[in-house]
Every structure is written in C-alpha cells, then in structure tokens.
Amino acid sequence: MTIIDACRRQGRGGSPTAVLDDAPFTDAERRRIPAATGTSHAVFIAAGDGDDRARPSYRLRFFTSEGELPACGHGTVAALALLALRHGGADYRAVLHTTGRVFEGWARRERDGLMATFDPGPIRLRDAGESELRAIVTALGLTGEALADGACVASPGRPRLLLPVRSRTVLAELRPDFATLRQACDRYGLLGCYAYSGPEADGQASARMFAPSIGVPEDVANANSTACLAACLAAQGVTSIAVDMGDHLGRPSTITASTHSSASGTLIRLGGAAQFARAVRLPQRG
C-alpha cells in the first residue's frame, strides 16, 4: 500500500493516510490497517464500472480503527493524489463513489507535489443545543470567556460541533479530557468537535479537530469539517478560507475551501496539497 501525506503546508507536513487497492478484506482487517501503518485513516480504492479513460470511476471506502466512515475529506485528497500519480500527466479527473454519494474529483501537478480538490456535497447546518454545547465545552476545559459566538452543528454525512474560540492562543492551549469528550460526543451523536479561530480578513484560520469516538483523539487534517466551516461562513459573505491544522501534532497541514452560490444552493470546492510519502508492504493474509 501507499502512504500519502494529504493537505500539506508549503511542502511539508500533512496527514499520513494509507491508500490501497481494495480486496476481499473483512471489515476487521480494514480496521487494523491504520494501526499497522501508523495512520489515522485508511482508504480502499476499487475500480468502478465503465471504461471512460477521460473520466474513470472509482469506489472509495474509509476506515479508522473504530470502523467505517461514510466520508473522509483528507482521505479523498489522498486517494485522488494516488490515482493521479498512477495516471501520469499534468491533470487528472475522476468520478468517485462513496457509501452515500457520487461526485467528481480533480488533481493537478504542482512544483512540490499534487493539488487535489473535490466537491464535498451538501452540508446541513443547525444551531448547537445548549446541553450539547455545554457538555463539549466542559470536556475541552474551556470557560465562557474563551468562546466566540456562532457555535453550530454541521453535517456532510455525520454531524460534528463547530466551536469558535477567541484566539489562536486559546486554540493552542486546549487540553481535552478525551474520555469525557467521547462520552459527550456519543451522547449527542456527534462525530467530534472542530474548534477553530478566525478567519482573518485574508481568509486564514486555524483549527483543531477532536474525534475520540472514531478512534482519532486529534486529527492532523480534517477536510470535511473545513468544508462545514466554509458552508457556515458563506452566509456571512466569506467565500474562501485556508485553515491551518496539525501544528500541535508536529504535522503542519492546510486545507482550502471556496464557496459560491447557485440555483441548487451553496457549492463548495475543497482541497489540499498531497505527496507520496512511502510504500508499505502488508503481511501475507492467512
């Protein structure tokens, strides 16, 4: 299998993601891949039907050590990067199938790797309930003075809390109680909490994603939550953001998202830079 560093920042860092061709693995075997490779997520790729070389089709499945996810943003970036590397050429385009939807993805070669982008699909937004907000804030050890207005719950498939804090310093100093956070997320059916600061006038923001309920205490890069933030900010007239993540983990990462309005609603283009990191040989099955 291949390890792809997804959502790199200025030629370094990124989220190491295992990407491999699917096979008749059991789900238990799929769940073991992230731990075996030292990654948070694994992406399994299977060729789809049809023979359109200009728009090939692939099915993607995403796993953490806890089980299957309906979607994974940085996993999609990693999969597109590997498919583009196999394809060769300057530009790549594919149709991607996940458990819930079909969408297009693109990749183009840049000086220090690849830039992969895709349509994350519609995102549902609602105000955060008082009890769920209080439970998450308590698990993060935050006080009311550290919070900014605008907490909401967003779902591109699974809901997560978007929690604005007043500064990058507050964000950097978060020390979650992961056991308590997992209990709170499980109680309210949340994937996790995406705490963020910003964006500034130039669209720059910082974020940390805590998701112990899916076996990822802190994610190096969480692209789908960044898409959720872009959908939330679009109503405020913000149409382009670049969110830094991973610094606390020593893996600087950046995810970009842009929005524009259409007759069908807010459309989002989500992306990140990616690069081949290394190849890993799996032990023989059986």
Side-chain angles (χ1 to χ4, degrees), residues 7-261:
C7 303
R8 286 158 54 86
R9 187 192 308 163
Q10 297 177 343
R12 59 195 183 98
S15 180
T17 306
V19 188
L20 62 160
D21 293 317
D22 209 352
F25 300 115
T26 66
D27 282 1
E29 288 173 325
R30 290 185 175 94
R31 290 195 302 270
R32 285 196 288 268
I33 294 294
T37 56
T39 63
S40 62
H41 296 68
V43 188
F44 297 82
I45 300 176
D49 297 330
D51 56 0
D52 186 348
R53 294 186 178 181
R55 284 177 83 238
S57 175
Y58 293 93
R59 178 174 56 83
L60 304 182
R61 296 183 68 184
F62 309 99
F63 279 78
T64 70
S65 61
E66 293 285 327
E68 185 167 12
L69 302 174
C72 174
H74 74 267
T76 302
V77 167
L80 282 165
L82 179 60
L83 291 169
L85 287 170
R86 290 176 174 177
H87 171 76
D91 296 291
Y92 181 77
R93 180 182 181 184
V95 178
L96 304 176
H97 301 247
T98 62
T99 56
R101 54 189 295 263
V102 179
F103 57 98
E104 288 195 307
W106 302 266
R108 69 174 186 273
R109 290 186 179 272
E110 297 186 338
R111 184 174 58 183
D112 58 353
L114 292 142
M115 182 69 184
T117 59
F118 66 98
D119 163 22
I123 291 169
R124 298 185 298 276
L125 300 170
R126 66 169 174 83
D127 291 337
E130 182 178 344
S131 59
E132 62 188 339
L133 179 59
R134 183 169 57 250
I136 299 296
V137 167
T138 298
L140 294 179
L142 283 168
T143 62
E145 296 78 20
L147 300 177
D149 294 332
C152 71
V153 173
S155 177
R158 290 184 65 178
R160 74 282 322 270
L161 179 70
L162 305 186
L163 184 68
V165 298
R166 292 202 176 275
S167 70
R168 289 182 180 235
T169 299
V170 170
L171 187 70
E173 292 177 350
L174 289 176
R175 298 293 185 270
D177 180 329
F178 288 113
T180 303
L181 181 60
R182 178 167 189 163
Q183 291 172 1
C185 289
D186 291 348
R187 183 184 315 135
Y188 294 103
L190 299 173
L191 177 79
C193 175
Y194 180 86
Y196 67 94
S197 172
E200 308 298 336
D202 60 359
Q204 290 288 328
S206 295
R208 295 174 68 183
M209 176 64 177
F210 307 110
S213 292
I214 61 168
V216 185
E218 182 169 354
D219 212 352
V220 172
N222 195 285
N224 278 349
S225 293
T226 301
C228 291
L229 178 60
C232 181
L233 294 173
Q236 304 172 28
V238 179
T239 59
S240 180
I241 58 174
V243 179
D244 291 339
M245 300 187 71
D247 296 276
H248 185 69
L249 301 173
R251 298 286 305 184
S253 304
T254 298
I255 306 109
T256 61
S258 59
T259 61
H260 71 273
S261 298

